[in-house]
Amino acid sequence: MTARQEAVPTPARPGPAPAATARAWAGLDPCVHCGFCLPACPTYEATADEADSPRGRIVLMRALAHAGLAAADPSLGTHLDRCLGCQACETACPSGVSFGPALEEARARIAAARGSAPALDTALWVLARPERQRFLWLLGRLARATRLPEVLARGAGRPGASAGRPALALAMLAASRPAGGAAGGDGAAPAPTGEVALLWGCVMAGLFGHVHAATVRTLAVNAVAVRAVPGQVCCGALAAHAGRARLARQLARANVLAFDAAAPDLPVVVDSAGCGAAMRAYGEWLADDPLAERAAALASRVRDVTEVLAARGPRRAGPLPIRVAYDAPCHLHHAQRVTTAPLTVLAAIPDLELVPLEGSDRCCGSAGLYALSQPELSLQILDAKLAAIAACHPDVVATGNPGCLMHIGAGALLADLHVALRHPVELLDRAYRGGGTARRGGSGAAA
Ligand code: SF4
Ligand code: SF4
């Protein structure tokens, strides 16, 4: 039976989800206002405004939940809009506050109070189904191949706070370009002893097919086969971050059905940190849904690709003599608490020199659509990341999230910082396929 054919009860009510809402607000209860989280918050560091700190936002969200603060209140919207959702405050908090679910709940209420946003809603509608995106991504890949976005972005220079969005968007598209240079063989793949399913995603499928290919090849070298899962859709992360909770839940339901139908017992491998964090939250998202148990079961099977590879060893690769700085995506490091697996993957590559990157666990300012919705703050936060990268002189910055790859890559391109951005599995894949020497030279460097 396919996901399309399966008869599944529809949710009793399509609107707010009471159990999920109660759990989200309860996640803020442990806060004792100690302020230990403040130094970890990039937006508080940027604005020095208590209302842009985790503690200030918790006060606002508690007022929304329990004290009658209106969802349409402008100060509530302003300060929650400025939140990156990076969850660095969660890992810094000694009391165990769960910030992320409350932020999504608050954003859903604010979005409902604001009403429709045609551009955002259209973009999310397009990203929700693979068949709606194909032409868009085809255009993107064709434009990217001409290198015109890179030329135009460089011509526009460093994006300013108000006029920078087109240049930043062009630079982000340019930064998604696959590595140049000739690849070697496909690497020796032993007979599989394990099998996984792979989330295809929306942006990942459209612009980062080369990362998916590297994921499949590196898993094959480590004796893991990938089973196809038809009917899967976008994970829903972008919708959830934008306060479109109903759409996020619809997408989560579709994925629960698709993965249960095609791969009911397999680990679900994700090579995008944001998507992995979203899928691990499916149990919470669908807590009030007839699919609640299946959603929680699927969430428990989600693994970042580096976790699967690290658990397998991974098999040692050929030499790759490059300097690599690892930048931890927030949704891997803080949201999923996956901290060592990417480093284990990189350590499997002989001659790869891992150089320390100051603030590697701090957000780069990408945060889903944040770079486009909050360009000033996003660029201010990105500047700190670029300065840290410039200080350690890597050939490559490795990071496992498409938003970070594009945002840091765009910043590096516009700042003329000669460094390539790569997913860790791309580097391992390159090393398995014959390695080579990476040269510096912008986002298109050989590695
Ligand atoms: S979220 Fe945690 S660290 Fe921050 S003020 Fe509350 S209790 Fe303290
Ligand atoms: S999620 Fe990130 S930006 Fe938002 S309050 Fe927490 S640390 Fe600050």
Side-chain angles (χ1 to χ4, degrees):
M1 182 178 281
T2 68
R4 280 180 192 284
Q5 293 169 320
E6 186 177 0
V8 175
T10 52
R13 54 207 295 270
T21 298
R23 285 219 284 258
W25 293 143
L28 302 179
D29 288 349
C31 181
V32 294
H33 307 287
C34 66
F36 283 2
C37 54
L38 268 58
C41 177
T43 58
Y44 179 64
E45 183 181 46
T47 69
D49 183 341
E50 171 74 16
D52 287 327
S53 78
R55 185 171 59 185
R57 289 179 177 129
I58 287 170
V59 169
L60 287 169
M61 289 192 283
R62 280 176 164 172
L64 172 69
H66 309 300
L69 179 66
D73 186 284
S75 68
L76 174 75
T78 297
H79 296 297
L80 292 194
D81 283 351
R82 286 185 193 157
C83 178
L84 293 151
C86 66
Q87 292 174 250
C89 45
E90 286 193 17
T91 45
C93 175
S95 300
V97 162
S98 178
F99 187 90
L103 178 66
E104 286 183 357
E105 178 64 33
R107 283 184 165 164
R109 293 189 180 204
I110 293 167
R114 285 174 174 163
S116 66
L120 174 64
D121 291 334
T122 302
L124 293 173
W125 180 84
V126 170
L127 293 176
R129 300 291 314 184
E131 63 274 14
R132 297 176 193 154
Q133 306 163 28
R134 285 195 189 105
F135 185 62
L136 173 75
W137 297 130
L138 178 64
L139 280 182
R141 290 193 300 270
L142 287 173
R144 186 176 69 180
T146 66
R147 298 201 170 216
L148 194 57
E150 185 173 338
V151 172
L152 292 173
R154 281 188 194 279
R158 177 75 164 79
S162 58
R165 288 185 218 202
L168 187 63
L170 287 166
M172 288 172 76
L173 177 61
S176 70
R177 192 154 48 85
D186 277 349
T193 58
E195 191 176 21
V196 297
L198 176 66
L199 177 78
W200 201 242
C202 56
V203 177
M204 283 299 293
L207 294 179
F208 290 92
H210 52 285
V211 173
H212 281 331
T215 290
V216 171
R217 284 192 297 262
T218 52
L219 288 171
V221 171
N222 287 277
V224 179
V226 175
R227 188 185 299 177
V229 176
Q232 60 169 297
V233 294
C234 163
C235 67
L238 289 175
H241 297 167
R244 299 322 193 248
R246 186 174 173 184
L247 174 59
R249 290 200 297 270
Q250 286 172 352
L251 294 169
R253 283 173 57 83
N255 278 333
V256 170
L257 296 176
F259 281 91
D260 273 5
D265 300 317
L266 295 184
V268 176
V269 166
V270 184
D271 52 14
S272 155
C275 306
M279 291 191 80
R280 287 196 209 238
Y282 277 5
E284 294 297 322
W285 290 7
L286 298 181
D288 296 280
D289 192 283
L291 292 178
E293 281 186 24
R294 292 168 63 177
L298 175 63
S300 72
R301 291 191 278 125
V302 171
R303 299 285 181 277
D304 188 74
V305 60
T306 58
E307 288 183 282
V308 177
L309 289 167
R312 290 255 158 183
R315 222 174 119 181
R316 202 154 170 81
L320 197 59
I322 52 174
R323 286 168 58 84
V324 175
Y326 173 66
D327 191 59
C330 299
H331 284 100
L332 194 61
H333 189 96
H334 299 297
Q336 300 186 60
R337 312 283 168 108
V338 175
T339 56
T340 58
L343 300 173
T344 303
V345 165
L346 294 173
I349 305 173
D351 293 350
L352 183 151
E353 183 188 356
L354 195 61
V355 294
L357 175 64
E358 190 182 345
S360 63
D361 62 345
R362 288 181 83 82
C363 184
C364 66
S366 170
L369 301 173
Y370 192 91
L372 300 176
S373 66
Q374 300 283 331
E376 289 179 47
L377 262 181
S378 174
L379 290 171
Q380 196 176 337
I381 292 163
L382 177 62
D383 276 344
K385 185 67 69 182
L386 294 176
I389 292 169
C392 66
H393 305 292
D395 299 304
V396 172
V397 173
T399 188
N401 189 56
C404 311
L405 287 164
M406 289 196 287
H407 192 58
I408 301 173
L413 189 154
L414 293 167
D416 214 16
L417 207 59
H418 293 260
V419 64
L421 269 292
R422 296 288 169 248
H423 193 294
V425 296
E426 287 186 272
L427 298 177
L428 185 63
D429 179 52
R430 170 67 62 156
Y432 281 148
R433 302 173 79 198
T437 302
R439 63 178 188 278
R440 291 189 182 191
S443 59

